[in-house]
Amino acid sequence: MIYFDNAATTAPLEEAISFYLKAIADFPGNPSSTHGLGRQADRQLEKARKDILETFGLAKTHSLIFNSGATEGNNLAIKGIAHFYKNRGTKLITSSVEHPSVTEAFKELEREGFEVTYLPVNEEGKVEPASLEKALDKDTILVSIMGVNNETGSINDLSALADLTHKFPKALFHSDLTQAIGKVKVPYSKLDLFTYSSHKIGGLRSDGALVYLSKIKFAPINDGGGQEFGFRSGTINVPAALTQAYVVKEAFKNYESNLKHVEEISKYLRQNLNIPSEIRFNSPLDASPYVLNFSLINKKASVVLEALSEREIYVSSVSACSSKGEPISGVLTAMHRSEGDARNSLRLSFSKRNTLEEAEAFVKAFKEVLEGVINR
Ligand code: PMP
């Protein structure tokens, strides 16, 4: 089998699974309990928090809320900030190609009366800093722009976007870094808040964090026991938090070698899938090498995806999270691709565990599949 759908989810690292199982056995207490086992779990929780913040280089400035992943993190970051700081202003800015966990949070805030600007992207799927500059004003309280797009791998210039935001003292800059952590360079210290999920870097599913400048406050989404500084009630899974710290550190430690390896796979595929009569690439050349998106010119993406799946080759069409809705890519539409291209895109996404041999086998199988599928 060939698994090229790592942007949807990546299998946990074997070492992460052993690490997790050991931590479950070693630290059985609830970190909120005041007895010895509870205090032991709490010390481990704080160690995990500190380790992750240190890995990002943010131990002195930022705090971290453990949660169930980027969907929850994005909701708390966006709604929590908007609700807490609404007396400062009601203008919010995001981009037109965000993940649904960002876009839908903003839509909800719009229904509540906030004014939301959805910035366009250019043909490469990136937000132009000039368009953010035009949209910002003194009533803006939050800007949320993703680091790496999950469909195309397009990388935003977060440094420039954060600098522009910070010209307005009331405005905070948030970034959804789910596809960026450990995969591309990120100016972490310039971000007021960011979110991610552990399962995109070989960690556990339903686990992640929201990192934020320590002075920031949120209106909590859930009421409860007041865990995680009162912003995210619920008993924290300490073994999962420790495992998260493990995989974040691993992703940083192996950043260069992983990148080099994945770049090789991505370059090979770009060269060998370059069949101008059949394929148009959507990922720009400087996209994250972990994602390669292209449209099929003559074939239906859903049919090709199924034919590949029958050969145990797994890729994605549109994005996993929106594939149950309207099967047209909003991201490619925002990039001014034709309707045919936006309805017939495939995304290949890689992890360090993929190999060049898999890429070679993919090209061979893909060409056979294209020959066997009738034109749309
Ligand atoms: N943001 C982006 C960019 C993503 O790719 C994903 C996962 N597809 C999410 C947010 C949501 O992550 P999760 O499903 O782990 O909450």
Side-chain angles (χ1 to χ4, degrees):
M1 92 120 156
I2 299 176
Y3 186 75
F4 282 168
D5 198 17
N6 290 278
T9 194
T10 305
L13 300 171
E14 269 168 35
E15 316 87 82
I17 299 171
S18 330
F19 189 96
Y20 181 57
L21 292 176
K22 181 164 186 324
I24 292 176
D26 288 351
F27 309 116
N30 182 328
S32 300
S33 298
T34 52
H35 51 63
L37 267 190
R39 288 199 303 276
Q40 179 203 44
D42 188 51
R43 277 195 300 276
Q44 292 300 319
L45 182 64
E46 294 316 314
K47 181 179 173 311
R49 202 187 311 276
K50 185 165 163 275
D51 277 1
I52 297 171
L53 287 169
E54 275 174 3
T55 306
F56 290 129
L58 301 176
K60 293 206 166 70
T61 50
H62 288 63
S63 302
L64 181 151
I65 295 169
F66 286 109
N67 59 25
S68 65
T71 297
E72 186 185 337
N74 287 334
N75 271 274
L76 180 59
I78 295 162
K79 293 180 193 160
I81 294 280
H83 291 155
F84 193 85
Y85 294 106
K86 63 175 184 286
N87 293 334
R88 291 185 179 178
T90 55
K91 288 195 178 173
L92 313 166
I93 300 173
T94 187
S95 87
S96 48
V97 296
E98 299 292 320
H99 186 267
S101 58
V102 169
T103 308
E104 295 302 319
F106 277 110
K107 282 197 193 150
E108 174 61 26
L109 291 169
E110 242 178 335
R111 287 189 283 271
E112 291 175 19
F114 287 90
E115 192 184 317
V116 182
T117 302
Y118 298 88
L119 298 175
V121 289
N122 62 23
E123 303 239 313
E124 298 196 319
K126 302 170 195 168
V127 174
E128 301 265 7
S131 78
L132 174 61
E133 194 167 22
K134 237 169 53 197
L136 280 160
D137 70 16
K138 60 176 182 32
D139 291 325
T140 307
I141 55 168
L142 178 67
V143 175
S144 177
I145 298 175
M146 70 201 322
V148 171
N149 185 271
N150 46 301
E151 279 188 48
T152 60
S154 302
I155 304 173
N156 278 313
D157 183 351
L158 294 182
S159 181
L161 297 167
D163 284 348
L164 286 169
T165 302
H166 292 143
K167 288 186 180 166
F168 295 85
K170 284 192 281 187
L172 296 170
F173 188 82
H174 166 255
S175 187
D176 174 359
L177 295 185
T178 310
Q179 302 290 348
I181 295 274
K183 295 177 181 165
V184 301
K185 285 266 176 273
V186 174
Y188 291 104
S189 64
K190 287 194 179 186
L191 308 179
D192 301 313
L193 313 103
F194 61 87
T195 30
Y196 60 89
S197 284
S198 304
H199 68 107
K200 311 286 183 177
I201 51 169
L204 305 167
R205 286 167 207 158
S206 290
D207 180 71
L210 165 59
V211 176
Y212 62 101
L213 209 52
S214 300
K215 67 176 184 196
I216 290 175
K217 298 216 168 359
F218 306 89
I221 290 174
N222 298 327
D223 295 316
Q227 290 91 340
E228 297 300 271
F229 317 107
F231 301 138
R232 199 275 189 183
S233 286
T235 302
I236 292 295
N237 183 345
V238 174
L242 287 162
T243 310
Q244 182 182 140
Y246 175 80
V247 295
V248 169
K249 282 191 282 189
E250 283 295 301
F252 271 67
K253 196 168 76 192
N254 303 319
Y255 172 82
E256 293 292 348
S257 58
N258 291 349
L259 186 69
K260 215 169 140 244
H261 178 70
V262 168
E263 257 169 5
E264 209 181 339
I265 292 170
S266 183
K267 268 194 192 136
Y268 176 88
L269 287 167
R270 221 183 235 280
Q271 275 164 8
N272 289 279
L273 294 175
N274 191 8
I275 320 162
S277 56
E278 293 283 1
I279 277 173
R280 252 192 296 273
F281 286 109
N282 295 313
S283 298
L285 284 168
D286 62 356
S288 161
Y290 287 83
V291 179
L292 183 62
N293 183 308
F294 52 84
S295 291
L296 301 173
I297 295 170
N298 304 310
K299 308 283 194 279
K300 259 188 131 153
S302 55
V303 176
V304 171
L305 183 137
E306 194 45 45
L308 289 169
S309 174
E310 278 167 17
R311 293 172 177 235
E312 296 191 339
I313 298 176
Y314 303 109
V315 303
S316 189
S317 166
V318 195
S319 81
C321 305
S322 39
S323 60
K324 288 208 181 75
E326 171 79 342
I328 183 166
S329 164
V331 173
L332 296 181
T333 305
M335 289 165 69
H336 304 295
R337 297 298 193 268
S338 68
E339 192 187 327
D341 280 9
R343 284 197 190 278
N344 292 290
S345 66
L346 291 178
R347 175 188 71 180
L348 318 186
S349 52
F350 317 110
S351 86
K352 67 168 184 178
R353 281 168 287 174
N354 288 126
T355 63
L356 202 52
E357 289 70 40
E358 287 176 336
E360 286 162 3
F362 178 85
V363 170
K364 189 168 168 290
F366 184 72
K367 286 183 177 166
E368 285 167 13
V369 164
L370 282 190
E371 271 174 30
V373 167
I374 50 163
N375 282 358
R376 65 177 144 92

